[in-house]
Amino acid sequence: MTRDELMETRKWLKRYRNMKQELAARTKNYDEFVQEIYNPLCSPKLDGMPRGSTTTDQTAATVEQIHKEYGEILKLLERKMEALRDAIKEIEDTIGQLDADERCVLYHRYILGIYWANLPAYINYDERQCRRIEKRALKKVWEKHVQQCPTWIW
């Protein structure tokens, strides 16, 4: 495994925490956007109250107009969030397929973001052994996943 391949694999795994933060931010933004569209006055929902059933009803006409105006924007936001969820799940699944030691090192290092100096306290190996395990795991990740899917590079 070349140094470039090793660095590319690390870069791919390091994106995990950024993607999680971006997904949380996008989800919050989406929820606020939907709240602003459908309930701009922040009035309480009165479930159980009679609702209009035809498009001649003013409420139904307003909702249809909102769907026409903002439907594409909402779909675009949903697609972006789904793409992030898929990328996050791909990294989690990739790490989950490794041996126990390899999975433990990559999980602590890339998912939790533990520094090398602190890693031995979590997994009971010294730092040098952790680095060897990480290198072996990165080689497997490269061969099974990153090498086959060059579209992961954003």
Side-chain angles (χ1 to χ4, degrees):
M1 178 172 203
T2 67
R3 186 172 183 81
D4 290 340
E5 294 168 349
L6 189 68
M7 295 308 291
E8 186 177 338
T9 306
R10 282 185 178 136
K11 185 177 177 182
W12 179 68
L13 290 170
K14 285 180 181 179
R15 286 194 353 230
Y16 177 86
R17 294 177 63 215
N18 291 337
M19 286 188 295
K20 288 289 272 193
Q21 290 174 345
E22 183 180 350
L23 179 60
R26 283 183 182 270
T27 302
K28 182 180 177 187
N29 183 28
Y30 177 84
D31 292 342
E32 289 173 354
F33 186 66
V34 168
Q35 179 67 25
E36 183 64 31
I37 291 171
Y38 289 108
N39 196 5
L41 300 176
C42 298
S43 61
K45 295 180 182 178
L46 302 173
D47 288 339
M49 298 299 292
R51 297 187 190 340
S53 59
T54 65
T55 57
T56 58
D57 179 39
Q58 184 63 35
T59 304
T62 303
V63 169
E64 276 187 34
Q65 181 183 358
I66 289 171
H67 281 297
K68 287 178 185 176
E69 289 178 20
Y70 297 106
E72 291 300 317
I73 295 170
L74 291 174
K75 286 178 187 176
L76 177 66
L77 293 173
E78 289 169 357
R79 281 194 302 264
K80 288 181 179 181
M81 289 188 311
E82 190 61 34
L84 279 171
R85 283 189 199 101
D86 291 343
I88 288 167
K89 184 166 177 18
E90 184 69 32
I91 291 174
E92 290 172 347
D93 291 346
T94 300
I95 291 174
Q97 294 173 0
L98 298 171
D99 297 338
D101 291 339
E102 297 166 347
R103 183 175 54 245
C104 188
V105 169
L106 291 188
Y107 179 79
H108 282 85
R109 183 74 180 108
Y110 296 103
I111 303 296
L112 299 180
I114 305 295
Y115 292 108
W116 282 116
N118 301 334
L119 195 59
Y122 289 94
I123 60 175
N124 298 323
Y125 286 116
D126 71 357
E127 187 176 335
R128 176 182 267 164
Q129 185 64 20
C130 290
R131 289 182 186 267
R132 279 191 218 121
I133 293 170
E134 186 233 11
K135 190 171 183 180
R136 186 175 65 223
L138 290 177
K139 183 177 180 182
K140 288 181 181 179
V141 168
W142 170 261
E143 290 170 353
K144 291 182 180 179
H145 301 285
V146 179
Q147 185 179 21
Q148 296 172 4
C149 299
T151 58
W152 286 340
I153 301 170
W154 294 10

PDB file of all heavy atoms in Angstrom, residues 18-20 22-23 26 79-89 154:
ATOM      1  N   ASN A  18     -17.032  15.124  10.464  1.00  0.00           N
ATOM      2  CA  ASN A  18     -17.529  16.330   9.786  1.00  0.00           C
ATOM      3  C   ASN A  18     -18.898  16.082   9.165  1.00  0.00           C
ATOM      4  O   ASN A  18     -19.768  16.958   9.197  1.00  0.00           O
ATOM      5  CB  ASN A  18     -16.550  16.794   8.720  1.00  0.00           C
ATOM      6  CG  ASN A  18     -15.269  17.322   9.301  1.00  0.00           C
ATOM      7  OD1 ASN A  18     -15.229  17.745  10.443  1.00  0.00           O
ATOM      8  ND2 ASN A  18     -14.205  17.285   8.518  1.00  0.00           N
ATOM      9  N   MET A  19     -19.076  14.899   8.582  1.00  0.00           N
ATOM     10  CA  MET A  19     -20.364  14.583   7.978  1.00  0.00           C
ATOM     11  C   MET A  19     -21.458  14.487   9.036  1.00  0.00           C
ATOM     12  O   MET A  19     -22.593  14.910   8.798  1.00  0.00           O
ATOM     13  CB  MET A  19     -20.280  13.285   7.172  1.00  0.00           C
ATOM     14  CG  MET A  19     -19.534  13.438   5.873  1.00  0.00           C
ATOM     15  SD  MET A  19     -19.625  11.995   4.796  1.00  0.00           S
ATOM     16  CE  MET A  19     -18.776  10.759   5.743  1.00  0.00           C
ATOM     17  N   LYS A  20     -21.137  13.935  10.203  1.00  0.00           N
ATOM     18  CA  LYS A  20     -22.125  13.860  11.286  1.00  0.00           C
ATOM     19  C   LYS A  20     -22.549  15.263  11.720  1.00  0.00           C
ATOM     20  O   LYS A  20     -23.733  15.527  11.921  1.00  0.00           O
ATOM     21  CB  LYS A  20     -21.550  13.100  12.485  1.00  0.00           C
ATOM     22  CG  LYS A  20     -21.412  11.615  12.284  1.00  0.00           C
ATOM     23  CD  LYS A  20     -22.725  10.924  12.267  1.00  0.00           C
ATOM     24  CE  LYS A  20     -23.142  10.547  13.662  1.00  0.00           C
ATOM     25  NZ  LYS A  20     -24.256   9.614  13.700  1.00  0.00           N
ATOM     26  N   GLU A  22     -22.321  18.011   9.900  1.00  0.00           N
ATOM     27  CA  GLU A  22     -23.057  18.628   8.798  1.00  0.00           C
ATOM     28  C   GLU A  22     -24.482  18.101   8.732  1.00  0.00           C
ATOM     29  O   GLU A  22     -25.424  18.860   8.500  1.00  0.00           O
ATOM     30  CB  GLU A  22     -22.339  18.360   7.469  1.00  0.00           C
ATOM     31  CG  GLU A  22     -23.014  19.024   6.293  1.00  0.00           C
ATOM     32  CD  GLU A  22     -22.318  18.756   4.973  1.00  0.00           C
ATOM     33  OE1 GLU A  22     -21.198  18.205   4.966  1.00  0.00           O
ATOM     34  OE2 GLU A  22     -22.915  19.099   3.938  1.00  0.00           O
ATOM     35  N   LEU A  23     -24.658  16.796   8.950  1.00  0.00           N
ATOM     36  CA  LEU A  23     -26.000  16.217   8.936  1.00  0.00           C
ATOM     37  C   LEU A  23     -26.854  16.810  10.052  1.00  0.00           C
ATOM     38  O   LEU A  23     -28.023  17.146   9.827  1.00  0.00           O
ATOM     39  CB  LEU A  23     -25.930  14.696   9.071  1.00  0.00           C
ATOM     40  CG  LEU A  23     -27.275  13.975   9.083  1.00  0.00           C
ATOM     41  CD1 LEU A  23     -28.032  14.234   7.787  1.00  0.00           C
ATOM     42  CD2 LEU A  23     -27.081  12.491   9.311  1.00  0.00           C
ATOM     43  N   ARG A  26     -27.753  20.341   8.946  1.00  0.00           N
ATOM     44  CA  ARG A  26     -28.738  20.331   7.857  1.00  0.00           C
ATOM     45  C   ARG A  26     -30.113  19.905   8.362  1.00  0.00           C
ATOM     46  O   ARG A  26     -31.131  20.442   7.924  1.00  0.00           O
ATOM     47  CB  ARG A  26     -28.292  19.408   6.729  1.00  0.00           C
ATOM     48  CG  ARG A  26     -27.214  20.000   5.857  1.00  0.00           C
ATOM     49  CD  ARG A  26     -26.878  19.063   4.703  1.00  0.00           C
ATOM     50  NE  ARG A  26     -25.827  19.588   3.894  1.00  0.00           N
ATOM     51  CZ  ARG A  26     -26.004  20.376   2.840  1.00  0.00           C
ATOM     52  NH1 ARG A  26     -27.209  20.732   2.473  1.00  0.00           N
ATOM     53  NH2 ARG A  26     -24.963  20.805   2.147  1.00  0.00           N
ATOM     54  N   ARG A  79     -32.753  15.159  -0.187  1.00  0.00           N
ATOM     55  CA  ARG A  79     -31.770  14.357  -0.931  1.00  0.00           C
ATOM     56  C   ARG A  79     -30.362  14.557  -0.392  1.00  0.00           C
ATOM     57  O   ARG A  79     -29.582  13.609  -0.279  1.00  0.00           O
ATOM     58  CB  ARG A  79     -31.820  14.687  -2.423  1.00  0.00           C
ATOM     59  CG  ARG A  79     -32.966  14.035  -3.151  1.00  0.00           C
ATOM     60  CD  ARG A  79     -32.789  14.113  -4.662  1.00  0.00           C
ATOM     61  NE  ARG A  79     -32.655  15.474  -5.145  1.00  0.00           N
ATOM     62  CZ  ARG A  79     -33.634  16.218  -5.631  1.00  0.00           C
ATOM     63  NH1 ARG A  79     -34.845  15.732  -5.713  1.00  0.00           N
ATOM     64  NH2 ARG A  79     -33.412  17.446  -6.064  1.00  0.00           N
ATOM     65  N   LYS A  80     -30.017  15.794  -0.063  1.00  0.00           N
ATOM     66  CA  LYS A  80     -28.686  16.066   0.489  1.00  0.00           C
ATOM     67  C   LYS A  80     -28.505  15.389   1.840  1.00  0.00           C
ATOM     68  O   LYS A  80     -27.438  14.825   2.124  1.00  0.00           O
ATOM     69  CB  LYS A  80     -28.456  17.569   0.604  1.00  0.00           C
ATOM     70  CG  LYS A  80     -28.254  18.255  -0.725  1.00  0.00           C
ATOM     71  CD  LYS A  80     -28.015  19.739  -0.563  1.00  0.00           C
ATOM     72  CE  LYS A  80     -27.795  20.398  -1.907  1.00  0.00           C
ATOM     73  NZ  LYS A  80     -27.528  21.842  -1.769  1.00  0.00           N
ATOM     74  N   MET A  81     -29.532  15.436   2.668  1.00  0.00           N
ATOM     75  CA  MET A  81     -29.443  14.778   3.974  1.00  0.00           C
ATOM     76  C   MET A  81     -29.343  13.261   3.805  1.00  0.00           C
ATOM     77  O   MET A  81     -28.591  12.597   4.529  1.00  0.00           O
ATOM     78  CB  MET A  81     -30.645  15.141   4.848  1.00  0.00           C
ATOM     79  CG  MET A  81     -30.620  16.576   5.337  1.00  0.00           C
ATOM     80  SD  MET A  81     -31.889  17.024   6.544  1.00  0.00           S
ATOM     81  CE  MET A  81     -33.383  16.420   5.844  1.00  0.00           C
ATOM     82  N   GLU A  82     -30.063  12.717   2.861  1.00  0.00           N
ATOM     83  CA  GLU A  82     -30.009  11.266   2.625  1.00  0.00           C
ATOM     84  C   GLU A  82     -28.638  10.842   2.110  1.00  0.00           C
ATOM     85  O   GLU A  82     -28.116   9.789   2.484  1.00  0.00           O
ATOM     86  CB  GLU A  82     -31.106  10.855   1.630  1.00  0.00           C
ATOM     87  CG  GLU A  82     -31.288   9.367   1.514  1.00  0.00           C
ATOM     88  CD  GLU A  82     -31.688   8.703   2.810  1.00  0.00           C
ATOM     89  OE1 GLU A  82     -32.423   9.309   3.611  1.00  0.00           O
ATOM     90  OE2 GLU A  82     -31.250   7.551   3.038  1.00  0.00           O
ATOM     91  N   ALA A  83     -28.032  11.659   1.250  1.00  0.00           N
ATOM     92  CA  ALA A  83     -26.683  11.354   0.763  1.00  0.00           C
ATOM     93  C   ALA A  83     -25.684  11.343   1.913  1.00  0.00           C
ATOM     94  O   ALA A  83     -24.797  10.484   1.968  1.00  0.00           O
ATOM     95  CB  ALA A  83     -26.258  12.368  -0.305  1.00  0.00           C
ATOM     96  N   LEU A  84     -25.814  12.285   2.832  1.00  0.00           N
ATOM     97  CA  LEU A  84     -24.938  12.296   4.001  1.00  0.00           C
ATOM     98  C   LEU A  84     -25.160  11.067   4.875  1.00  0.00           C
ATOM     99  O   LEU A  84     -24.203  10.452   5.352  1.00  0.00           O
ATOM    100  CB  LEU A  84     -25.173  13.562   4.832  1.00  0.00           C
ATOM    101  CG  LEU A  84     -24.487  14.819   4.350  1.00  0.00           C
ATOM    102  CD1 LEU A  84     -24.976  16.032   5.126  1.00  0.00           C
ATOM    103  CD2 LEU A  84     -22.985  14.690   4.472  1.00  0.00           C
ATOM    104  N   ARG A  85     -26.429  10.706   5.082  1.00  0.00           N
ATOM    105  CA  ARG A  85     -26.722   9.496   5.876  1.00  0.00           C
ATOM    106  C   ARG A  85     -26.111   8.256   5.232  1.00  0.00           C
ATOM    107  O   ARG A  85     -25.564   7.394   5.920  1.00  0.00           O
ATOM    108  CB  ARG A  85     -28.227   9.317   6.026  1.00  0.00           C
ATOM    109  CG  ARG A  85     -28.850  10.222   7.035  1.00  0.00           C
ATOM    110  CD  ARG A  85     -30.314   9.843   7.293  1.00  0.00           C
ATOM    111  NE  ARG A  85     -30.982  10.967   7.884  1.00  0.00           N
ATOM    112  CZ  ARG A  85     -31.779  11.820   7.233  1.00  0.00           C
ATOM    113  NH1 ARG A  85     -32.027  11.645   5.957  1.00  0.00           N
ATOM    114  NH2 ARG A  85     -32.329  12.824   7.852  1.00  0.00           N
ATOM    115  N   ASP A  86     -26.202   8.156   3.911  1.00  0.00           N
ATOM    116  CA  ASP A  86     -25.628   7.010   3.200  1.00  0.00           C
ATOM    117  C   ASP A  86     -24.111   6.960   3.347  1.00  0.00           C
ATOM    118  O   ASP A  86     -23.536   5.893   3.567  1.00  0.00           O
ATOM    119  CB  ASP A  86     -26.003   7.055   1.712  1.00  0.00           C
ATOM    120  CG  ASP A  86     -27.485   6.794   1.482  1.00  0.00           C
ATOM    121  OD1 ASP A  86     -28.158   6.279   2.396  1.00  0.00           O
ATOM    122  OD2 ASP A  86     -27.970   7.123   0.377  1.00  0.00           O
ATOM    123  N   ALA A  87     -23.447   8.106   3.228  1.00  0.00           N
ATOM    124  CA  ALA A  87     -21.988   8.149   3.362  1.00  0.00           C
ATOM    125  C   ALA A  87     -21.556   7.793   4.783  1.00  0.00           C
ATOM    126  O   ALA A  87     -20.581   7.056   4.982  1.00  0.00           O
ATOM    127  CB  ALA A  87     -21.472   9.534   2.985  1.00  0.00           C
ATOM    128  N   ILE A  88     -22.289   8.266   5.770  1.00  0.00           N
ATOM    129  CA  ILE A  88     -21.989   7.937   7.165  1.00  0.00           C
ATOM    130  C   ILE A  88     -22.168   6.451   7.403  1.00  0.00           C
ATOM    131  O   ILE A  88     -21.330   5.794   8.023  1.00  0.00           O
ATOM    132  CB  ILE A  88     -22.891   8.768   8.107  1.00  0.00           C
ATOM    133  CG1 ILE A  88     -22.448  10.226   8.095  1.00  0.00           C
ATOM    134  CG2 ILE A  88     -22.888   8.208   9.530  1.00  0.00           C
ATOM    135  CD1 ILE A  88     -23.437  11.180   8.742  1.00  0.00           C
ATOM    136  N   LYS A  89     -23.264   5.899   6.886  1.00  0.00           N
ATOM    137  CA  LYS A  89     -23.526   4.467   7.067  1.00  0.00           C
ATOM    138  C   LYS A  89     -22.465   3.621   6.368  1.00  0.00           C
ATOM    139  O   LYS A  89     -22.056   2.584   6.886  1.00  0.00           O
ATOM    140  CB  LYS A  89     -24.907   4.116   6.540  1.00  0.00           C
ATOM    141  CG  LYS A  89     -25.287   2.664   6.774  1.00  0.00           C
ATOM    142  CD  LYS A  89     -26.752   2.456   6.558  1.00  0.00           C
ATOM    143  CE  LYS A  89     -27.210   1.044   6.697  1.00  0.00           C
ATOM    144  NZ  LYS A  89     -26.406   0.112   7.361  1.00  0.00           N
ATOM    145  N   TRP A 154     -14.728  13.841  -2.417  1.00  0.00           N
ATOM    146  CA  TRP A 154     -15.632  14.979  -2.659  1.00  0.00           C
ATOM    147  C   TRP A 154     -14.854  16.183  -2.999  1.00  0.00           C
ATOM    148  O   TRP A 154     -14.141  16.791  -2.477  1.00  0.00           O
ATOM    149  CB  TRP A 154     -16.509  15.220  -1.446  1.00  0.00           C
ATOM    150  CG  TRP A 154     -17.463  14.102  -1.197  1.00  0.00           C
ATOM    151  CD1 TRP A 154     -17.490  12.884  -1.793  1.00  0.00           C
ATOM    152  CD2 TRP A 154     -18.523  14.093  -0.254  1.00  0.00           C
ATOM    153  NE1 TRP A 154     -18.500  12.127  -1.290  1.00  0.00           N
ATOM    154  CE2 TRP A 154     -19.148  12.840  -0.340  1.00  0.00           C
ATOM    155  CE3 TRP A 154     -18.995  14.998   0.633  1.00  0.00           C
ATOM    156  CZ2 TRP A 154     -20.224  12.493   0.436  1.00  0.00           C
ATOM    157  CZ3 TRP A 154     -20.061  14.642   1.398  1.00  0.00           C
ATOM    158  CH2 TRP A 154     -20.684  13.405   1.291  1.00  0.00           C
TER     159      TRP A 154
END
